[in-house]
Amino acid sequence: MAHDTDTDVDFPSPQRGRGGRGARVDPIFAEPRLAAIYDAFDGKRSDLDAYAAIVEEFGAKRVLDIGCGTGSFATILAARGFEVTAVDPALASLDVARAKPFADRVTWIHGTAVEVPAKKADFAVMTGNVAQVFLEDSDWLATLRATHNALRPGGHLVFELRDPARRAWERWTPDATRRRRDVPGIGAVEAWTEVTQVDLPLVSFRYTYRFESDGATLTSDSTLRFRDRSELEANLRSTGFTLLEVRDAPDRPNREFVFIAQR
Ligand SMILES: C[S@@+](CC[C@H](N)C(=O)[O-])C[C@H]1O[C@@H](n2cnc3c(N)ncnc32)[C@H](O)[C@@H]1O
């Protein structure tokens, strides 16, 4: 989850387990029952308006959404007339995405940035703190290299990361994160998050979902990596990008770094 604007609690975005094309994917994205309720717990997503404004600011036409999840951003862009390719290793999330309005205008790819055609995109995005799911430097750098390869020369990349100095995980407690949502066709679901280990730069946590319709309780364990700004600057340089700017996320002031880089 990117964050929950209803309550101003910054929810963690998880990853673990094996998913499409060898990438590690957490149950919250890969388990159909959890993918089906993901959007209901993901808040209003005003972050996506800010990202759409950046895409427009750079005059992009062909956009690549890496780690598109349930396709919220890809379908917003498709509705606005952008040519969108969206990639994610979690098939259950892609199934949710494909059922959304304007999904038929998106090219969906089950996999990772490595599976994306070369030099086609003007602009690549990773919303919802996708960049934090890569625990090993080798995976993260391979994703940056593949993204570089997917962009035409001069194309742009934008992605966000939580500022580790803000220690977001300290707010991921069951009390601060507990929610109950009525999900159409599924019924009421209660959810909460708890941190299970802090071993910086890695933070592990567990989502729990209780389905009131049948009493089922499903959990999803995750670990995220909190990289600092200087590390990211070095990663971009070593994979061939020029860093143009680091902005604040307008919807989450002082919490995130929004990196804008160019091939
Ligand atoms: C927190 S979600 C964000 C989804 C979407 N970008 C959004 O803003 O709603 C993180 C996504 O990253 C995807 N992911 C995990 N490993 C990946 C990888 N190696 N390459 C691309 N995406 C990956 C997950 O399947 C999940 O959909």
Side-chain angles (χ1 to χ4, degrees):
M1 298 172 196
H3 61 290
D4 190 324
T5 48
D6 286 340
T7 56
D8 205 31
V9 170
D10 184 19
F11 275 73
S13 312
Q15 282 307 303
R16 198 184 287 153
R18 283 282 151 188
R21 312 268 174 138
R24 301 182 313 176
V25 183
D26 282 0
I28 190 173
F29 305 118
E31 152 63 41
R33 223 175 155 182
L34 294 183
I37 59 169
Y38 183 87
D39 289 340
F41 282 94
D42 210 19
K44 295 186 199 116
R45 298 304 307 265
S46 54
D47 58 316
L48 300 183
D49 292 334
Y51 278 108
I54 296 177
V55 173
E56 279 162 4
E57 175 187 334
F58 282 87
K61 302 262 180 292
R62 291 170 303 173
V63 183
L64 170 62
D65 184 357
I66 299 167
C68 64
T70 56
S72 299
F73 191 49
T75 50
I76 285 173
L77 291 179
R80 294 186 187 194
F82 291 95
E83 192 184 310
V84 186
T85 299
V87 58
D88 200 288
L91 202 51
S93 293
L94 285 179
D95 286 343
V96 172
R98 285 190 179 107
K100 288 186 172 170
F102 299 99
D104 56 336
R105 299 191 193 171
V106 176
T107 302
W108 302 102
I109 298 178
H110 177 219
T112 68
V114 174
E115 272 84 40
V116 170
K119 294 187 182 169
K120 286 257 165 67
D122 300 319
F123 205 97
V125 293
M126 292 185 222
T127 65
N129 288 293
V130 168
Q132 287 195 256
V133 310
F134 303 95
L135 306 186
E136 306 292 338
D137 277 338
S138 54
D139 287 344
W140 172 231
L141 295 176
T143 298
L144 285 177
R145 273 188 220 104
T147 305
H148 188 272
N149 187 47
L151 285 167
R152 65 159 175 80
H156 294 88
L157 164 66
V158 61
F159 63 90
E160 64 180 22
L161 283 169
R162 294 180 185 82
D163 178 354
R166 306 295 298 184
R167 302 176 71 85
W169 59 88
E170 291 180 351
R171 299 184 290 280
W172 299 342
T173 65
D175 280 351
T177 60
R178 195 176 301 275
R179 305 273 179 281
R180 187 175 175 278
R181 295 277 186 269
D182 271 310
V183 188
I186 290 176
V189 183
E190 190 184 17
W192 63 92
T193 309
E194 62 199 312
V195 172
T196 50
Q197 189 174 1
V198 178
D199 183 13
L200 294 176
L202 303 181
V203 176
S204 301
F205 50 91
R206 172 172 295 167
Y207 286 103
T208 302
Y209 295 90
R210 201 171 57 78
F211 291 77
E212 293 184 10
S213 59
D214 63 357
T217 297
L218 273 65
T219 60
S220 181
D221 288 338
S222 306
T223 300
L224 292 180
R225 180 156 171 178
F226 284 74
R227 292 182 172 84
D228 65 28
R229 181 175 165 160
S230 59
E231 210 177 339
L232 262 297
E233 290 174 1
N235 295 159
L236 285 167
R237 261 198 311 277
S238 75
T239 52
F241 283 99
T242 303
L243 178 60
L244 300 183
E245 214 181 322
V246 182
R247 296 184 182 175
D248 200 10
D251 58 305
R252 287 154 293 161
N254 300 318
R255 291 190 191 179
E256 303 266 334
F257 299 128
V258 178
F259 286 82
I260 301 179
Q262 187 170 28
R263 171 176 173 161

Coordinates of all heavy atoms in Angstrom, one line a residue, residues 32-38 40 181-189 211-214:
P32 N -5.0 -14.1 -4.6 CA -6.2 -13.4 -5.2 C -7.1 -12.8 -4.2 O -7.6 -11.7 -4.4 CB -6.9 -14.6 -5.9 CG -5.7 -15.5 -6.3 CD -4.8 -15.4 -5.1
R33 N -7.3 -13.4 -3.0 CA -8.2 -12.9 -2.1 C -7.7 -11.5 -1.5 O -8.5 -10.7 -1.1 CB -8.4 -13.9 -0.9 CG -9.9 -14.0 -0.5 CD -10.2 -15.0 0.5 NE -11.4 -14.6 1.1 CZ -12.0 -15.2 2.1 NH1 -11.5 -16.3 2.6 NH2 -13.1 -14.7 2.6
L34 N -6.4 -11.4 -1.4 CA -5.8 -10.2 -0.8 C -5.7 -9.1 -1.9 O -6.0 -7.9 -1.7 CB -4.5 -10.4 -0.2 CG -4.6 -11.3 1.1 CD1 -3.2 -11.4 1.7 CD2 -5.5 -10.7 2.1
A35 N -5.4 -9.5 -3.1 CA -5.3 -8.6 -4.2 C -6.7 -7.9 -4.5 O -6.7 -6.7 -4.8 CB -4.8 -9.2 -5.5
A36 N -7.7 -8.7 -4.3 CA -9.1 -8.2 -4.5 C -9.5 -7.1 -3.6 O -10.4 -6.3 -3.9 CB -10.1 -9.3 -4.4
I37 N -8.9 -7.0 -2.4 CA -9.2 -6.0 -1.4 C -8.2 -4.9 -1.3 O -8.3 -3.9 -0.5 CB -9.5 -6.5 0.0 CG1 -8.3 -7.3 0.5 CG2 -10.7 -7.5 -0.1 CD1 -8.4 -7.7 2.0
Y38 N -7.1 -5.0 -2.1 CA -6.0 -4.1 -1.9 C -6.4 -2.6 -2.1 O -6.1 -1.7 -1.3 CB -4.9 -4.4 -3.0 CG -3.7 -3.6 -3.0 CD1 -2.6 -4.0 -2.2 CD2 -3.6 -2.4 -3.7 CE1 -1.5 -3.2 -2.1 CE2 -2.4 -1.6 -3.7 CZ -1.4 -2.0 -2.9 OH -0.3 -1.3 -2.8
A40 N -9.3 -1.2 -1.7 CA -10.2 -0.7 -0.7 C -9.4 -0.2 0.5 O -9.9 0.7 1.3 CB -11.1 -1.9 -0.3
R181 N -13.2 -2.1 6.4 CA -13.7 -1.6 5.1 C -14.9 -2.5 4.7 O -14.7 -3.7 4.8 CB -12.7 -1.5 4.0 CG -11.6 -0.5 4.2 CD -11.9 0.9 3.8 NE -10.8 1.8 4.0 CZ -10.5 2.5 5.0 NH1 -11.3 2.4 6.1 NH2 -9.5 3.3 5.1
D182 N -15.9 -1.9 4.1 CA -17.0 -2.8 3.4 C -16.6 -2.8 2.0 O -16.6 -1.8 1.3 CB -18.3 -2.1 3.6 CG -19.0 -2.6 4.9 OD1 -19.0 -3.9 5.1 OD2 -19.4 -1.8 5.7
V183 N -16.2 -4.0 1.5 CA -15.7 -4.1 0.1 C -16.9 -4.7 -0.7 O -17.3 -5.9 -0.4 CB -14.5 -5.0 0.1 CG1 -13.9 -5.0 -1.3 CG2 -13.4 -4.6 1.1
P184 N -17.3 -4.0 -1.7 CA -18.4 -4.6 -2.6 C -18.2 -6.0 -3.1 O -17.1 -6.3 -3.6 CB -18.5 -3.6 -3.7 CG -17.9 -2.3 -3.2 CD -16.8 -2.7 -2.2
G185 N -19.1 -6.9 -2.9 CA -19.0 -8.3 -3.3 C -18.2 -9.1 -2.4 O -18.1 -10.4 -2.6
I186 N -17.6 -8.6 -1.4 CA -16.7 -9.4 -0.5 C -17.2 -9.3 1.0 O -17.1 -10.2 1.7 CB -15.2 -8.9 -0.7 CG1 -14.7 -9.3 -2.0 CG2 -14.3 -9.4 0.5 CD1 -13.3 -8.8 -2.4
G187 N -17.7 -8.1 1.3 CA -18.1 -7.9 2.7 C -17.1 -7.1 3.5 O -16.2 -6.6 3.0
A188 N -17.4 -7.1 4.8 CA -16.5 -6.3 5.7 C -15.2 -7.0 5.9 O -15.2 -8.2 6.1 CB -17.2 -6.0 7.0
V189 N -14.1 -6.2 6.0 CA -12.8 -6.8 6.2 C -12.1 -5.8 7.2 O -12.1 -4.6 7.0 CB -11.9 -6.9 4.9 CG1 -10.6 -7.5 5.2 CG2 -12.7 -7.7 3.8
F211 N -11.6 -11.5 7.4 CA -12.8 -11.4 6.5 C -14.0 -11.8 7.4 O -14.1 -12.9 7.8 CB -12.7 -12.4 5.3 CG -11.6 -12.0 4.3 CD1 -10.3 -12.2 4.6 CD2 -12.0 -11.4 3.1 CE1 -9.3 -11.8 3.7 CE2 -11.0 -11.0 2.2 CZ -9.7 -11.2 2.5
E212 N -14.9 -10.8 7.5 CA -16.1 -11.1 8.4 C -17.0 -12.1 7.8 O -17.8 -12.7 8.5 CB -16.7 -9.8 8.8 CG -15.8 -8.9 9.7 CD -16.4 -7.7 10.2 OE1 -17.7 -7.5 10.0 OE2 -15.7 -6.8 10.7
S213 N -17.0 -12.2 6.4 CA -18.0 -13.1 5.7 C -17.8 -14.5 6.2 O -18.8 -15.2 6.3 CB -17.9 -12.9 4.2 OG -16.6 -13.3 3.8
D214 N -16.6 -15.0 6.3 CA -16.4 -16.4 6.7 C -15.4 -16.6 7.8 O -15.0 -17.7 8.1 CB -15.9 -17.2 5.4 CG -14.6 -16.7 4.9 OD1 -14.0 -15.7 5.4 OD2 -14.0 -17.3 3.9

